[in-house]
Amino acid sequence: MALLPILCYPDPRLLTVAKPVQAFDVRLQTLIADMFETMYEAKGIGLAATQVNVHERLIVIDTSEGRDAPLVLINPKILWASPERHVNEEGCLSVPGIYDGVERHDLVKVEALDGSGNKHLVEAEGLLSMCIQHEMDHLMGKVFVEYLSPLKRNRIKTKMLKAQREARD
Ligand code: NI
C-alpha cells in the first residue's frame, strides 16, 4: 500500500469531471487500498479519487468513531434526496484548515457498486449523508468552497496559494 498525494485547492485538476469505473481489476483494488490508507493517515472521513488525481467515479468513506467501517462507493447515483436541507460545517482534505457551512439534503439514498462490482444501496443520514454529497461533488469537479460567497472563496484561494508557496520555500 502507498500514501497518495492529495491535490490542494485551487489546483485546476480538482475541476475534472470523473468518468465511470470500467474494470474491477487488481489496479482498482490497489487504488482503493491506497485511498483508504491516505484518508486514514490524513484523518479524513472521505476521499474522492479526483482528490488523488484519478478521474474515475470512486469514493472511499469512513464516518465511524472507531475508524473501522470502510465504505466504497463506485459509480454512485443518488436515487432520492430529502427535500429537507440543513447547513452543517464542512472541511476537506483538499482545503486544509478551512471549515464553513454548506447546505445539504438531510437524507440521501444512493446506489453504488462495491470494490467487487456488486450493487449496494446506502440510505444515509447525518454525517454520512453530508459526506456522500460532499464526495460526489468532487467527482463532478466541485469543491465545497464553491458554495461559499465569492468574497470568502477568494480569501480562501489567497490563503491556500500563500500556504502552498511557503511549503515550497
Ligand atoms: Ni473534500
Side-chain angles (χ1 to χ4, degrees):
M1 296 215 290
L3 291 175
L4 305 170
I6 299 175
L7 299 179
C8 266
Y9 183 81
D11 191 311
R13 291 171 290 182
L14 287 168
L15 305 175
T16 313
V17 176
K19 295 191 166 61
V21 169
Q22 304 278 9
F24 292 80
D25 52 10
V26 175
R27 174 196 156 267
L28 183 72
Q29 307 314 320
T30 306
L31 177 60
I32 292 169
D34 289 348
M35 281 177 62
F36 271 116
E37 192 185 359
T38 303
M39 182 192 78
Y40 285 128
E41 168 75 18
K43 301 191 169 23
I45 58 170
L47 186 69
T50 309
Q51 294 175 274
V52 293
N53 202 29
V54 175
H55 301 287
E56 297 173 36
R57 294 183 58 78
L58 161 63
I59 292 166
V60 299
I61 288 176
D62 189 342
T63 55
S64 71
E65 288 277 331
R67 316 291 279 153
D68 55 0
L71 177 67
V72 178
L73 300 177
I74 295 174
N75 302 341
K77 259 187 278 179
I78 293 193
L79 301 180
W80 178 82
S82 67
E84 297 81 21
R85 296 163 66 97
H86 278 94
V87 175
N88 282 293
E89 188 158 270
E90 292 188 15
C92 179
L93 293 177
S94 292
V95 199
I98 304 291
Y99 301 88
D100 214 319
V102 177
E103 190 181 272
R104 304 279 188 190
H105 301 284
D106 289 1
L107 312 168
V108 288
K109 275 187 199 168
V110 179
E111 185 186 85
L113 303 175
D114 65 15
S116 312
N118 298 313
K119 206 174 264 188
H120 61 126
L121 192 70
V122 180
E123 295 191 22
E125 59 178 351
L127 186 60
L128 180 60
S129 173
M130 183 187 99
C131 185
I132 289 174
Q133 292 171 73
H134 175 116
E135 301 309 332
M136 284 184 72
D137 274 352
H138 276 302
L139 301 180
M140 295 306 293
K142 191 167 185 177
V143 179
F144 85 102
V145 296
E146 299 304 321
Y147 291 102
L148 308 179
S149 70
L151 180 69
K152 271 191 182 175
R153 196 158 59 238
N154 277 325
R155 269 193 206 141
I156 292 167
K157 204 176 280 182
T158 306
K159 196 174 168 184
M160 289 293 118
L161 288 170
K162 185 165 175 270
Q164 286 160 29
R165 262 197 315 275
E166 282 169 4
R168 272 199 302 272
D169 292 345

